[in-house]
Amino acid sequence: MRLQKYLAHAGLASRRKSEDYILQGRVAVNGQTITSLGTKVEPGDQVSFDGKPVKLQEEKVYYLLNKPAGYVTTSSDEKGRKTVLDLVPKGMRVYPVGRLDFNTTGLLILTNDGDFTYTMTHPSHEVEKCYRVTVQGRLDEKDLAPLKKGIRFHGESYAPAKFARVLPGKSQSQFDLTIHEGKNHQVKKMCQALGFSVKKLHRLSLASLDLKGLEIGQYRKLTPEEVKELKEDHA
């Protein structure tokens, strides 16, 4: 990338004004003053203006992924398992917003915006997450009633939750569960507290986002309007 373009992308000034700064000898690369407009900047080069570092402003990106089973929600895995980063474009440093277990499927956001991640994951913002839960055994609404008041399990407290679409079955039952915490293995532990083992877990939605139009393994970029709404609703 040409030096004047680098300066413009870093937000220092327009490209034309950046050229003036270069010709004035006010810009240095790796400690060497540059006065040539043909100079190129390579990854790892240290650029400064009037002695102060100039760094590119990283473009903020937001991906909405319908996570398949068999992927870990980390940037790397010591066991060599596939990660959710294998499902989105390469070359952009992003990380998952929260976590979904290895075999849990559904909605997951990936971004490089740390402030956004904090907003979406910190319990104080009470961002709602809805899961479709399949458990072993037959249950009905009475079995799930304790969730409305909040429960404790193995010394951990879980805030009141909402449930809907309860579909009892002979060997397995299904229901939708909405929580606003993000504790480790929370849905599974809440179900265990009621005496049911989770066999399948799929995140349907997060705040105002859902998976409409996305098949398992597919992703899309969030629109600027969606990002703005999420930030404003949970500020």
Side-chain angles (χ1 to χ4, degrees):
M1 181 187 297
R2 289 189 182 274
L3 180 55
Q4 55 268 42
K5 183 177 180 181
Y6 178 98
L7 296 174
H9 281 196
L12 178 67
S14 68
R15 194 175 303 188
R16 179 168 295 182
K17 188 64 176 178
S18 295
E19 291 177 349
D20 291 340
Y21 289 153
I22 294 170
L23 294 174
Q24 292 165 10
R26 301 175 67 181
V27 180
V29 177
N30 299 326
Q32 181 179 355
T33 299
I34 301 297
T35 57
S36 170
L37 297 181
T39 301
K40 291 188 176 181
V41 179
E42 302 294 338
D45 285 345
Q46 304 297 312
V47 180
S48 62
F49 171 71
D50 287 346
K52 298 180 180 179
V54 177
K55 296 184 178 180
L56 284 178
Q57 296 177 351
E58 187 177 34
E59 177 191 1
K60 296 293 189 291
V61 293
Y62 310 84
Y63 293 116
L64 176 62
L65 171 70
N66 191 346
K67 176 189 175 295
Y71 286 79
V72 293
T73 51
T74 56
S75 57
S76 61
D77 182 63
E78 68 274 5
K79 298 179 181 179
R81 294 174 296 181
K82 295 176 290 187
T83 82
V84 290
L85 299 189
D86 295 324
L87 299 169
V88 296
K90 302 295 186 291
M92 194 68 76
R93 186 181 65 86
V94 296
Y95 42 83
V97 176
R99 304 187 73 167
L100 292 178
D101 292 342
F102 184 67
N103 284 319
T104 297
T105 60
L107 192 153
L108 182 70
I109 300 175
L110 296 100
T111 185
N112 55 2
D113 187 338
D115 291 336
F116 176 85
T117 298
Y118 178 85
T119 297
M120 291 294 102
T121 57
H122 196 275
S124 64
H125 294 284
E126 298 192 352
V127 178
E128 289 195 337
K129 298 167 278 286
C130 181
Y131 296 83
R132 181 149 294 164
V133 188
T134 303
V135 299
Q136 187 68 36
R138 182 179 179 84
L139 59 72
D140 57 27
E141 293 192 7
K142 291 181 180 179
D143 296 312
L144 298 175
L147 297 176
K148 291 184 177 181
K149 296 181 180 180
I151 57 176
R152 286 183 61 83
F153 183 65
H154 289 179
E156 184 76 51
S157 295
Y158 298 98
K162 297 180 288 188
F163 60 85
R165 287 177 47 86
V166 181
L167 301 174
K170 292 182 179 180
S171 60
Q172 293 187 339
S173 302
Q174 189 179 87
F175 63 98
D176 292 350
L177 179 68
T178 300
I179 61 175
H180 63 258
E181 296 175 298
K183 296 181 178 180
N184 193 35
H185 304 303
Q186 180 171 347
V187 175
K188 293 181 179 179
K189 290 180 179 179
M190 293 174 77
C191 290
Q192 287 175 20
L194 300 178
F196 295 96
S197 174
V198 173
K199 295 303 178 183
K200 189 175 181 180
L201 193 58
H202 179 76
R203 185 190 280 170
L204 295 170
S205 63
L206 184 150
S208 57
L209 300 176
D210 60 36
L211 292 167
K212 184 178 180 180
L214 281 184
E215 299 294 332
I216 284 286
Q218 292 185 333
Y219 70 90
R220 68 171 176 84
K221 278 190 174 183
L222 292 184
T223 66
E225 292 76 20
E226 287 173 326
V227 175
K228 181 180 179 181
E229 180 180 357
L230 289 168
K231 290 181 177 180
E232 290 180 348
D233 286 351
H234 302 283

